[in-house]
Every structure is written in C-alpha cells, then in structure tokens.
Amino acid sequence: MMMMSCRNIDLGTSVLDLMPCGCSCTTSSPTSRQLLFRNCSKNVCRIGGRSYGGNLMLLRRDLGTCRAVPAKPKENYLVNGIGQDKTVVLNLKPESQKPISLENLFEVVADDLQRLNDNLLSIVGAENPVLISAAEQIFSAGGKRMRPGLVFLVSRATAELAGLKELTVEHRRLGEIIEMIHTASLIHDDVLDESDMRRGKETVHELFGTRVAVLAGDFMFAQASWYLANLENLEVIKLISQVIKDFASGEIKQASSLFDCDVELDDYLLKSYYKTASLVAASTKGAAIFSKVESEVAEQMYQFGKNLGLSFQVVDDILDFTQSTEQLGKPAANDLAKGNITAPVIFALENEPRLREIIESEFCEPGSLEEAIEIVRNRGGIKKAQELAKEKAELALKNLNCLPRSGFRSALEDMVIFNLERID
C-alpha cells in the first residue's frame, strides 16, 4: 500500500493525524488510544488472512493485533475530501476508550507464550516430587507471564531491526530463565513477608512449609543459572547474574529500613530497582543482545525495562492502598502494616507529622493502622505517587523511539499505558 508522510489536517474543531499506511496499526502518539480509518480504493489490504479493498475500514489498536471491520456509512464523513490511500487517526475522548488487557496486549506473541508455558515445568526438572508440586502451585497461580511476554515483544521488535525473520533458541530460553528467576523470587518473598496468599491462592510455604519453600526457591535459582550458563553469552550471563544479587540487596535494604520515616525517595527507587526493575531491565536488554542489534539499541532497551519496572512498582504500591484484599489477591496495605515505606507513604509524610508518629510507634494503638491508611489516601500521597509512575512511564516510551514502527513496538507502548490504566 502507498506510503505517505505524516501531516495534520484541521477538520473543524478536531485535528486528524495522517499516518503511514500499513497493517501494523501504528500511531504518532503512543500515549493516546486511537482508531485508524483507512480508505483503500485501489489497493488490497491483507489483515488476519483476509483481503479488504475499496471500502473504508476501521482498525483498532486495542485489539492487540491488526484487524479490520467494514466502516458504517455514517463514518464516511471523517474522510470526506481527504483523498484515497490515506490513513486518518482519530483521538478518542477518555470516556470512550476501551482499557487495554494483557490478553490483547500479548496476542502478537501468544504462540511464543504458549510454547513457554508448555516448557516451564519440564525445564524445572523432575528430581523431586515435592519440588514439582511447589512449581506447579506457583506456575498455575494465575501468573500474567508479563516478564517473558516482554522478552518476546522486545525480541521480535529488535529482530525486525536486525533483519531476523524468527526468534532464536536463545531468545526463547531467555524467556524461560526469566520466568524461573521471577518465580523463585516470589517464593522467597512470600517466606520473608510471611504471606499466606499469592494471586488468590495459598503460597508455597503455607502449603509445604518454610523449609521446602526456601529450598524450592533456591532450586529454581540454581536451575535458571544452569540454563543461563548454557546460553554461552558472557554479557547476558553477567547481566542476569547481577539480577540475582540485586534481589538480595533489595531485601536487605528493605529489612534494614522498616518503620523508618526518614527513608528518602531515592532510597525507595533504588530498592525498587533492586527488587523489581533490575529483572525487567535485564530481560529486555538480554532480548536485544540476542537479536544482535547495536549496543546503543540494547542500552535503550535496558533503560526501557528499568523505567517500566519502576513505574510498575510505584503503581503496585499505590494499589496496595486503593484496592481490596480480594482485588489484590493478598492482604491490602500489607507493606505499611509490616513497616515497608513506599512512595505513597513517603509523599504523605512530607506534610503529615501525625503519620510519622503512627508509623514510628509501629501501630501499637488500636485503629492506628487504619488511621495511617486514611492519611496516605487523603493527604496527597496517592496523587504524587501517580505523578511519579507517569514520569517513569513517559521515560519508558521515549526509550522505544529507537525501534522501528511495528505491532510489537505498539504492544510495548501499550504495556506502558496498561500499567498506568491500573490506577485510572
């Protein structure tokens, strides 16, 4: 189909952006949800195995992959006088936007994720039935597979840049290694936090005991390290090995600052990097390395993962105050109850001396925890934390500018938006 440069056309009170014609549903503004209108009168556009030609079509990015439906006659005025073989982008009002779902977001790598799911239990190993049971418990607990999904999205986006037509064995193994490391960290986190619920199910240590849970986590770390070594890429080995070290550093940093109201935002961000963003950043950079792209692109993918991971952690910490136990799949305000000072608390402490008194007393008075939660919710802590999450999200979107326009890049952009939509 005909390619064209991007320009704006003013149609009354709205501005419609003309975009390059293609079936990857790309947009010029990744932070806005959009509909694409295409008038293909001379050419045939193939989408999802079907051919469309000569009719106005509506393409929706929020479906996860490029799809089309014939436009209704009343929509024709949107392209009246604009010409043929052009794509017009219409920004939707917030109230008419459809939220992004992970299912749709990962649809472009659905086959990759299914293959990963089929392999996960087999690569854990079958030496011990108890370990297999523990692995089945955590792998079947409704996990979103967000980290391997990111691996596959970045792998395919950077593979296009490098001219690769298919993912390598190393790309796929990296996704499995990342999910094993993440799973091991969850098992250990639940032991340290004494959590009895994870994603609405009983935790491994609640079912099998602390000893088995610790050993199961250790085993998964070891198994992941073994597969990592077999990738025989020293740069990626160093990258992922640092993540395991960062996990421990994050836990130590958190444990040493419980109920400490003097924790600063930079300390919180460093701890969040150790515990969350480090793995995401290593995942996305590792994927780029295996695509053999330029080092500058690989570094941008690292920064993308870091900024996205930090934004996700801030959003999770906000949800700890705004969602119920049923929604979270774990006790609400659990971090605050255990003395873990997160972004909403840090911001609320700036103007509320009473909150400091309550936290430093370690909630010794009846009702003091509930009072602290209300202060955080109603004294600006949530709002400022939302601004921080959006700041990191904007940086993540900028990191994607080095990638060519594709459905995979669009999905990465939508991942950033999906995270922010959790707190809308």
Side-chain angles (χ1 to χ4, degrees):
M1 300 178 70
M2 182 182 296
M3 298 300 294
M4 55 176 295
S5 59
C6 182
R7 60 189 177 89
N8 291 332
I9 294 179
D10 191 353
L11 296 180
T13 59
S14 64
V15 176
L16 305 181
D17 297 326
L18 290 180
M19 299 297 297
C21 189
C23 53
S24 60
C25 298
T26 60
T27 70
S28 61
S29 176
T31 58
S32 62
R33 307 296 306 287
Q34 300 167 325
L35 293 180
L36 303 186
F37 293 88
R38 177 171 297 144
N39 189 1
C40 303
S41 61
K42 296 181 180 179
N43 300 286
V44 174
C45 180
R46 289 188 177 276
I47 300 173
R50 297 178 61 186
S51 297
Y52 299 86
N55 294 315
L56 182 70
M57 293 178 290
L58 168 66
L59 286 82
R60 294 177 50 182
R61 289 184 65 226
D62 58 309
L63 292 176
T65 56
C66 192
R67 296 179 181 176
V69 294
K72 298 176 183 178
K74 67 179 181 181
E75 295 171 329
N76 287 342
Y77 74 93
L78 289 169
V79 294
N80 183 33
I82 294 179
Q84 300 171 343
D85 299 319
K86 295 178 175 62
T87 302
V88 180
V89 181
L90 175 64
N91 289 321
L92 294 178
K93 295 180 180 179
E95 60 267 20
S96 65
Q97 294 176 3
K98 179 181 178 181
I100 300 170
S101 71
L102 278 180
E103 181 181 359
N104 288 336
L105 195 155
F106 286 138
E107 189 174 349
V108 290
V109 290
D111 291 343
D112 299 321
L113 286 171
Q114 184 58 53
R115 191 165 167 179
L116 175 134
N117 285 333
D118 294 341
N119 287 342
L120 274 177
L121 285 177
S122 64
I123 68 173
V124 168
E127 289 90 347
N128 191 303
V130 176
L131 290 176
I132 292 297
S133 297
E136 287 177 342
Q137 171 66 13
I138 192 74
F139 284 145
S140 65
K144 299 181 287 292
R145 303 286 188 264
M146 188 193 82
R147 287 154 189 83
L150 280 171
V151 169
F152 295 139
L153 286 174
V154 173
S155 295
R156 290 197 173 276
T158 53
E160 287 190 346
L161 188 63
L164 297 177
K165 294 184 178 180
E166 188 48 70
L167 297 190
T168 65
V169 173
E170 289 80 8
H171 281 130
R172 297 191 183 282
R173 184 63 79 196
L174 178 64
E176 295 162 354
I177 289 169
I178 293 301
E179 185 65 7
M180 279 198 293
I181 291 174
H182 174 58
T183 299
S185 73
L186 294 184
I187 295 173
H188 282 178
D189 277 353
D190 289 338
V191 172
L192 292 170
D193 297 340
E194 299 179 343
S195 301
D196 56 2
M197 297 289 288
R198 165 72 64 177
R199 300 165 182 158
K201 290 190 176 185
E202 288 182 296
T203 56
V204 172
H205 80 87
E206 184 73 13
L207 285 173
F208 302 101
T210 298
R211 181 181 177 85
V212 169
V214 170
L215 291 173
D218 288 346
F219 179 81
M220 280 199 199
F221 275 129
Q223 193 78 330
S225 298
W226 187 86
Y227 280 108
L228 178 63
N230 278 275
L231 290 177
E232 297 184 347
N233 184 301
L234 187 58
E235 186 177 6
V236 174
I237 291 172
K238 288 181 177 180
L239 191 65
I240 306 299
S241 297
Q242 181 65 42
V243 170
I244 299 175
K245 176 185 173 183
D246 288 344
F247 281 151
S249 297
E251 290 296 345
I252 293 170
K253 194 170 185 62
Q254 178 171 296
S256 62
S257 59
L258 295 177
F259 300 101
D260 182 1
C261 293
D262 293 319
V263 169
E264 297 183 353
L265 185 62
D266 285 345
D267 296 322
Y268 162 80
L269 289 173
L270 180 59
K271 181 202 70 175
S272 298
Y273 169 76
Y274 285 153
K275 294 193 63 178
T276 303
S278 176
L279 178 61
V280 182
S283 304
T284 50
K285 183 175 182 179
I289 290 171
F290 284 131
S291 292
K292 294 180 170 55
V293 294
E294 297 292 332
S295 59
E296 292 81 4
V297 175
E299 179 59 27
Q300 285 299 307
M301 291 303 94
Y302 181 86
Q303 293 300 324
F304 166 75
K306 176 182 176 181
N307 288 315
L308 176 61
L310 289 174
S311 183
F312 252 93
Q313 185 58 59
V314 175
V315 169
D316 278 348
D317 292 337
I318 292 169
L319 295 177
D320 201 42
F321 288 95
T322 61
Q323 288 192 338
S324 65
T325 297
E326 291 73 21
Q327 289 173 307
L328 291 169
K330 61 180 180 179
N334 191 49
D335 280 332
L336 181 60
K338 295 180 181 299
N340 184 20
I341 308 300
T342 58
V345 180
I346 291 172
F347 289 124
L349 280 166
E350 293 176 350
N351 301 309
E352 287 294 333
R354 172 59 180 159
L355 181 58
R356 174 182 285 268
E357 293 175 13
I358 297 172
I359 294 174
E360 289 182 344
S361 73
E362 300 187 13
F363 312 111
C364 61
E365 297 179 5
S368 59
L369 175 61
E370 289 73 18
E371 182 183 356
I373 293 170
E374 286 304 307
I375 291 174
V376 173
R377 286 174 176 169
N378 300 318
R379 299 295 191 274
I382 301 298
K383 182 178 179 180
K384 287 189 175 181
Q386 288 174 332
E387 292 171 357
L388 177 61
K390 291 175 182 176
E391 174 189 320
K392 297 301 179 183
E394 289 171 0
L395 291 174
L397 290 172
K398 289 179 181 178
N399 296 136
L400 294 174
N401 287 338
C402 64
L403 297 177
R405 275 293 174 188
S406 69
F408 305 114
R409 173 175 164 176
S410 294
L412 289 168
E413 291 167 345
D414 281 351
M415 171 64 82
V416 179
I417 300 167
F418 164 79
N419 178 48
L420 295 181
E421 285 183 346
R422 297 193 295 152
I423 52 174
D424 281 350

